[in-house]
Amino acid sequence: MSISRNTALNLGGAFIPIALTLGTLPLYLNAIGNERFGVISIVWIFVGYFGLFDLGLGRATAQKIASTTDDNSTQTSEILWTALTINTAFGILGGSILFPIANWFFLEKFNIQEELKNEIIHAIPWMAVAVPLTTITGVITGALEGKEKFLQINIINITSTSAIQIIPLIIATYISPNLSLLLCAIISIKILTIILLFISCQKNIRYIYPAKINFNIAPELFKFGGWVTISSTITPLMVMLDRFMIGAISGATSVTYYTIPFNLASRITIIPRSLSSALFPKFANKNNNNELYIYAIKTLLAAITPLTIIGIIIMPQFLSWWISHEFALEAAPTGIIILIGLWTHSLAYIPYAQLQAKGKPDVVAKCHLVELPFYLITLYFALKNFGIIGAAVVWSVRASIDAIALFYLNKNINGIVKPVFLSFLMIITSSASSYYISSNKIAGIALAIISLIGGFALAWKHAPKKILNKIKLR
């Protein structure tokens, strides 16, 4: 199956839930309030972070199945059942560990009104249940990715995420915004999702029955997954720790001012995530994929640079229209800074995927281990002195350094330095336009026009010829 088709399927699978989120978020804020929304944001950070008990076996499953060439053997089935057994056990362990930690954080450290604490107490058990469901989902999805069954994955994910977005909103609006009730509904949907994914595995993996658990391959899975786990532990820590610190220092409302523009800006990463997911099995079973690597970088650069520029220019106006003018005044500068960091972060998806697919997850993990202490120190001082703006700057600088390091460690930067640098200049120009638009409208508009023209011109110039030919044919 072609990379372009798989990428398109992944984009479609991500776009519909994003459209639902954009449409329903103001309704959620109206139904549950800013503070409860901030609490829910932290809840899902907890659950997502404890997904590290996946042990990297979801990714390891995808890599091992993609690199398995003999489809008539029972090896694929053994990989799936072995990883699934291990991840179920560790998911239960992770949920058991999350329970006391979440109790301590929300009841002792989180700055929240007393009336919400009772809701959190009853919601924490549902958080613990979500952890094994997350680890199980990771392995089953990894197996389907290894078989390049992106159509089935995305149909199920669209159905699941749409239900998660709509059903709790209906409950909050017409029954109760109680956190425990909302999480119970979400957990029920996640269980149904696992059932659907496993049915798809039954149809696409030969010799899946009887269940074959081969613990002899466990060390091989753990070796790959262990390094992935380190990255999976550190990456969300560096992405999400700022919100925990904001909640502890400034309160849940500040978390909302930071989280909403961050989540909005991060939607741009659906493009690199979709492309890198489609590329991963190709990278895993090809000996020489440098040409594919360069093609992917240039394709991604051409796609995300104009979108980032547009996002930076319209961020204040969009937030003002979408939520309120007062909210935009607080949140828009943070969103613009984060968008800059997300642009470089997006480019890093390709070397990240290639290094892991080639069986070198240790390179990625070691890079993140070096970054972590410096990030934590600078984040703390930035938050203390500059609030959420400081957190956004530190996160974006860290993301840029991470991208540079991964490109260097992948030892394949020929032909991409110049287009990346010129595109970055247009990103900075668009940021300047947003800064000047309120004080000097003419200068702001002029810079916006320059960055837009420059961004689209560079995208056209550096886009791969295959893509340009398809556009011209139409």
Side-chain angles (χ1 to χ4, degrees), residues 48-61 83 86-88 90-91 94 131-140 142 221-222 225-226 228-229 232-233:
Y49 190 74
F50 272 80
L52 65 90
F53 279 87
D54 170 77
L55 302 176
L57 295 192
R59 195 68 156 174
T61 301
I86 295 170
N87 256 23
T88 300
F90 276 93
V131 176
L133 298 181
T134 300
T135 59
I136 292 169
T137 301
V139 167
I140 301 175
L221 290 171
F222 276 121
V228 173
T229 299
S232 299
T233 302

Side-chain angles (χ1 to χ4, degrees), residues 12-14 16-17 20 151-168 189-190 192-193 196-197:
I16 293 175
L20 277 172
L151 177 60
Q152 292 90 327
I153 292 171
N154 284 291
I155 289 174
I156 294 170
N157 283 345
I158 287 172
T159 303
S160 172
T161 53
S162 298
I164 287 173
Q165 198 66 32
I166 293 172
I167 292 175
I189 295 167
K190 285 183 174 290
L192 179 60
T193 301
L196 294 175
L197 286 169

Side-chain angles (χ1 to χ4, degrees), residues 295-343:
Y295 173 85
I297 292 295
K298 290 188 174 182
T299 301
L300 186 57
L301 192 65
I304 65 170
T305 300
L307 290 177
T308 303
I309 291 171
I310 292 171
I312 289 171
I313 292 172
I314 70 170
M315 177 70 73
Q317 291 76 21
F318 180 80
L319 286 176
S320 181
W321 166 79
W322 188 36
I323 300 178
S324 71
H325 178 68
E326 293 73 19
F327 186 92
L329 290 175
E330 294 285 343
T334 299
I336 290 170
I337 294 168
I338 288 169
L339 261 173
I340 298 172
L342 284 168
W343 179 81

